[in-house]
Each structure stands twice: as C-alpha cells, then as structure tokens.
Amino acid sequence: MRAVFLDFGSVTRGDIDCAALERAVSPWQYYHDSSESEVLERIREAEVIVSNKVFIGRVAITAARNLKLICVAATGYNNVDLAAASERSIPVCNVRGYATPSVVQHVFMLMLNLARHFVDYQELVKRGGWQTSQFFCPLDFGIRELCGKTLGIIGYGELGHAVANVAQAFGMKVQIAEHKNKLPRPGRTLFDEVLQQADFITLHCPLSRETQHLMSRKEFELMQSSAYLINTARGGLVNETDLLESLSLGRIAGAAIDVIQEEPPSKDNPILRQQPANLIVTPHIAWASRESRQRLLELLADNIKNFFQHKSFNQVTDTDSKIV
C-alpha cells in the first residue's frame, strides 16, 4: 500500500499529528508541495492520493495505474477531474464540517471589524491619534452594533446554520435567501428581497455554474448603501471588478473577503492593488485554526479507513455542488 499527500505543507505548520493517517494506511509519502510537472511521477505507484489544491487531471489519473482512491483535503473538489476518475471507477472523497467553528469565528471577526472599525482605530492609536485627541474617546470612525441588524445568509448548509445561530446570539435578525429566481420555501426569503433588506450579506454556498459571479453589479445595486458583504466561501462567487466598482462608488458600505478568484494572487491583482479603505482582505485563513486542520486529517483518515473496510465514506456525488 502506498499513499501520497501532494501538498501537505498547505495544511500544517508542523503542528498537526499524523497518527490517524498512519493508522488508516501505510506507508505515506508527504510532499510539502507538488508542481504540475512533479505530480505524474509522485503518484505513479500510489494507491491513495491526497491533495488539498494540487490539480489531479485526466493525464495524472490515467498514469496512476494502481490508484484506488482520491482524497481531497478540503470540502471543494474542483481540483479533481471527476469524469476521468469515474471512467476508471475511482471514487473521490472530500471532507465536510471540519472547519465550521473556525469559519464562523472568522465571519464574525470580519463583521465586527466592519461594524466597529477595529483596524482603523488600532491604526489611529499607532499613529498617535488618541494621544493628541481633544477628548478621552476619539470618534473618528462610526461604530455600529450587530444587535438589531439583519443578516442575510446565502447558502444554508452546515456553515449557514452555524452562522445563523451565532447571529441570533448577537441579537441579529436572520434571513435565509432562497435560490436566485426561485419561489421561497418555508423559512426562506426571496433572493432579491434578502439583498434589499439585509445590513450584512454572508456567502456560504459552493462554487458551481449556478453560483459563478452570484454577486455582481446587479446584486450590489439591490443592496442598501449602508450594507456590507462577507465572503469566506469561494472567490468566484463574487465578480471582483463589480465589487471594486461598487465599493468605490458607495453602492455598498464595505466588504470583507477571505477568498479571491486567484489564489495565491499575483502582485498586480486588482483586489490587492486597488484595495479601498472599505475593503478588508484576509488570505484564505477562515478555515485554518489548528483544531480545524487536525479535524481535517482525522476525517481524511476516516474516509481512507472506511473505504478499505468497505464501509460508508464521504464520497463526492454530483449533488454536492448544489446550493442549499
């Protein structure tokens, strides 16, 4: 048995226990990262491949003659050619639910930063603004409370539910968006109405043909000028050109994003080059608590162990990419 982790460096900084993986299958070959040109040779004899973001395409799947299982060390699996895997009857599995507490904390950290201008006030202190203030409390930036505000949630799977629970603890009103251009199910609100009424919009849906550029100019124009967008899901859900335009023109009050379409970004990426004052960007770290990364490896190990023991495991299906 040979198992290969193609980009182990993407999930650890030396702080993760691999014992569960070692118990599930052995031996392992852990690579810090793998370039496209290195993948073929590294997986040629492998029976199990694990990848977080390294692309596993048709050529690689065909070349791995002993391959039995492909594991994605994430929830999103657009880095695997599912059709090619299916043609060889090789199951693909992903990991779900491992990062929920970490992502929820990050969502509210971003939301609170937007509402209370935490970074702006921290910078004010660093440059001496408090020290030279006429009053004990400088009011240079507006501060808003979350209590009483409306939070619109787009994508109501495990993450959406968890965010809703915390929002209610803050005293927020929660609206769950129905799919675009669909009549609302019980407990849901028309998509456009959520955009029009919410003080904050948070995205928790997968990236698919249905959700590509889910938020573009039309949607930003529906939002209140005092509203904020939070995206910790996938960069492709947001048309970044339209977002920058809407921020600069004041169509919306601000945005906080943990994901962009190009990751890692180039030095001249427009989001980072133009980054306006009302935009907060974090580098895809919402999921990345140590506890979350440890759960990820343990759930990966469960998938592998259950596969070889002919038990139920978290196999990807065509329905997994549908918005809920």
Side-chain angles (χ1 to χ4, degrees):
M1 187 71 65
R2 185 172 179 225
V4 175
F5 203 132
L6 291 171
D7 51 353
F8 191 53
S10 68
V11 301
T12 184
R13 54 194 301 268
D15 55 350
I16 299 298
D17 184 354
C18 297
L21 285 177
E22 300 288 346
R23 288 193 298 268
V25 63
S26 185
W28 277 91
Q29 181 65 58
Y30 300 97
Y31 294 103
H32 183 73
D33 196 11
S34 299
S35 66
E36 184 179 350
S37 62
E38 293 171 328
V39 169
L40 286 181
E41 184 58 35
R42 290 179 174 181
I43 71 172
R44 191 175 301 279
E45 304 298 327
E47 295 181 74
V48 178
I49 300 171
V50 179
S51 169
N52 185 348
K53 295 294 181 287
V54 172
F55 182 66
I56 304 174
R58 178 175 295 275
V59 173
I61 291 170
T62 302
R65 53 196 173 209
N66 298 323
L67 187 57
K68 294 181 172 65
L69 179 67
I70 299 172
C71 301
V72 181
T75 302
Y77 47 84
N78 54 312
N79 60 321
V80 178
D81 188 327
L82 296 183
S86 177
E87 289 168 14
R88 286 197 56 196
S89 299
I90 297 169
V92 177
C93 61
N94 66 347
V95 183
R96 306 170 197 165
Y98 65 94
T100 300
S102 184
V103 173
V104 171
Q105 287 181 23
H106 202 83
V107 167
F108 282 92
M109 180 195 73
L110 295 175
M111 204 178 302
L112 286 164
N113 269 280
L114 289 170
R116 303 194 64 86
H117 287 276
F118 170 82
V119 174
D120 294 322
Y121 276 110
Q122 187 179 44
E123 289 301 317
L124 181 145
V125 173
K126 286 182 178 179
R127 66 175 182 263
W130 191 16
Q131 298 88 316
T132 58
S133 174
Q134 182 179 0
F135 300 106
F136 77 100
C137 168
L139 298 175
D140 294 48
F141 309 100
I143 298 174
R144 302 173 68 186
E145 297 178 354
L146 298 188
C147 184
K149 302 300 186 296
T150 298
L151 176 63
I153 299 177
I154 300 177
Y156 199 51
E158 178 171 337
L159 277 170
H161 278 82
V163 167
N165 290 337
V166 175
Q168 289 165 350
F170 270 103
M172 301 185 80
K173 304 168 188 175
V174 175
Q175 290 186 339
I176 311 304
E178 185 52 90
H179 296 195
K180 258 186 179 181
N181 304 315
K182 300 288 185 180
L183 292 174
R185 291 166 281 177
R188 304 288 181 107
T189 303
L190 284 169
F191 185 89
D192 286 358
E193 287 186 13
V194 171
L195 296 183
Q196 291 165 343
Q197 297 171 12
D199 298 291
F200 295 86
I201 297 288
T202 182
L203 307 181
H204 298 289
C205 45
L207 179 61
S208 65
R209 286 189 297 272
E210 179 186 1
T211 61
Q212 177 75 27
H213 288 180
L214 185 73
M215 298 295 295
S216 295
R217 180 174 180 174
K218 173 180 176 290
E219 287 70 38
F220 293 129
E221 288 177 341
L222 287 173
M223 292 173 64
Q224 301 179 65
S225 60
S226 58
Y228 298 96
L229 174 72
I230 312 288
N231 185 16
T232 57
R234 288 292 181 267
L237 298 174
V238 177
N239 184 312
E240 293 173 353
T241 301
D242 291 352
L243 173 62
L244 288 171
E245 179 186 66
S246 296
L247 291 170
S248 66
L249 295 177
R251 288 196 185 108
I252 62 175
I257 58 176
D258 186 55
V259 288
I260 58 178
Q261 291 185 121
E262 178 195 19
E263 296 179 354
S266 61
K267 292 180 180 179
D268 61 350
N269 184 286
I271 285 283
L272 301 184
R273 190 180 69 247
Q274 300 178 31
Q275 191 170 346
N278 54 350
L279 174 65
I280 297 172
V281 181
T282 55
H284 205 143
I285 54 168
W287 70 282
S289 68
R290 190 201 65 78
E291 295 86 348
S292 170
R293 291 179 286 115
Q294 187 64 56
R295 281 191 297 269
L296 170 65
L297 260 63
E298 290 169 0
L299 291 170
L300 269 173
D302 286 344
N303 276 335
I304 296 168
K305 178 183 66 177
N306 290 339
F307 169 75
F308 283 110
Q309 293 179 358
H310 306 288
K311 296 178 181 178
S312 176
F313 65 101
N314 207 43
Q315 185 171 357
V316 168
T317 67
D318 289 340
T319 62
D320 290 334
S321 63
K322 294 183 178 177
I323 187 172
V324 292

